[in-house]
Amino acid sequence: MIIKKKPKWIKIKIPKIYKNINKIKNIFNKNKINSVCKEAMCPNLYKCFNKGIATFMILGNICTRNCNFCNIKKGKPLKINFNEPIKIFKIIKYIKLKYVVITSVNRDDLIDGGAKHFYNCIKYIKNIKNIKIEILVPDFRNCMNNALKIFNFNTPNIFNHNLETIFRIYNKILPDSKYKRSLKILRKFKNIQPKIPVKSGLMLGLGEQTIEILYIIYKLRNIGVNIITLGQYLQPSYKHQLVKKYITPIKFNIFKTKALKMGYNFAFCGVFIRSSYNANFKYNNYKI
């Protein structure tokens, strides 16, 4: 196993002032609420927590799928915590967030994939004045149509589902998921709710060719995706998928320029870009 040496631009800057980091961590721990920032070992954790930003991960911290790039635990999930929506509502009010991202592990053990739980979170959070809600959802494997119907009754401000990677290597990186199913949920939601921005993201550095990346950026735009995020895949541990290539900042800027020319409203492309990174600062001039 050959691990590629990280280039000079792969360097995480930890804030000098920690005014909010411990506060946010303690709030999550005290309320037994999960954050994907911590569970997925996000490189932006310190920066976001220091700004009072966090992405809530509902439905537990154990995923029913076995993607070999992800650091989230795999196995048999625990029972749903039905008090979670009200706890998240209280945390958001306490932190005084104006933009909230809610995501989840895959819950293929549930008849609706957890869609109703997302719905309940949205319902509570909407009681906060001027709040904006982004949901980052799984593909709802066997219950996509029913899940999307549930969201019809309580829509988010932004609907997000990450495609993660290109078609050629998709089955290797996400063995329990399907490329076409991910495209389908993005397309179907956009058809059902054409006025709501749809978002998706890719990890780069897993062995893609430039032409393949440009093709999938075009493909996502063609099915109605309005916002795209491209970031560098970073190996969480030696047990995970190896990094095949480190994408240069210049190359990320090229992808951003190409995406905007294709008609995306926003294209966030960079080494440490993640799907929900700095989310509540991104869309200040975007009517959602």
Side-chain angles (χ1 to χ4, degrees), residues 140-188:
F140 300 111
R141 178 185 280 169
N142 297 316
C143 52
M144 184 189 298
N145 290 336
N146 287 336
L148 292 179
K149 285 179 183 176
I150 289 171
F151 292 128
N152 267 340
F153 295 102
N154 210 353
T155 57
N157 297 99
I158 288 183
F159 180 89
N160 187 353
H161 172 73
N162 284 332
L163 186 60
E164 304 293 10
T165 193
I166 61 166
F167 175 73
R168 177 172 54 83
I169 58 175
Y170 192 90
N171 290 340
K172 179 182 178 183
I173 307 300
L174 296 94
D176 298 328
S177 301
K178 291 188 181 298
Y179 174 87
K180 289 185 178 179
R181 187 163 60 219
S182 282
L183 291 177
K184 185 177 180 181
I185 192 171
L186 292 164
R187 183 177 64 250
K188 290 195 77 164

Side-chain angles (χ1 to χ4, degrees), residues 111 122 201:
I111 194 168
I122 295 170

Side-chain angles (χ1 to χ4, degrees), residues 37 42 44-55 99-101 134 199 229 268 272-284:
C37 318
C42 178
N44 304 306
L45 183 149
Y46 290 100
K47 188 181 289 186
C48 288
F49 274 22
N50 209 38
K51 291 180 178 178
I53 303 166
T55 297
Y99 191 100
V100 178
V101 183
E134 175 181 331
K199 178 179 173 185
T229 58
F268 300 99
F272 297 124
I273 292 295
R274 296 296 182 267
S275 187
S276 54
Y277 169 58
N278 232 9
N280 66 342
F281 289 94
K282 287 179 183 175
Y283 314 115
N284 289 339

Side-chain angles (χ1 to χ4, degrees), residues 11 22 24 54 57 80 93 107 162 170 185 218 281 283:
K11 187 176 181 181
N22 289 330
I24 301 293
M57 188 171 77
I80 295 176
K93 286 201 75 174
R107 291 297 303 260
N162 284 332
Y170 192 90
I185 192 171
Y218 168 78
F281 289 94
Y283 314 115

Side-chain angles (χ1 to χ4, degrees), residues 257-270:
T257 300
K258 295 281 188 183
L260 292 173
K261 284 183 178 179
M262 290 179 195
Y264 283 92
N265 296 93
F266 291 94
F268 300 99
C269 310

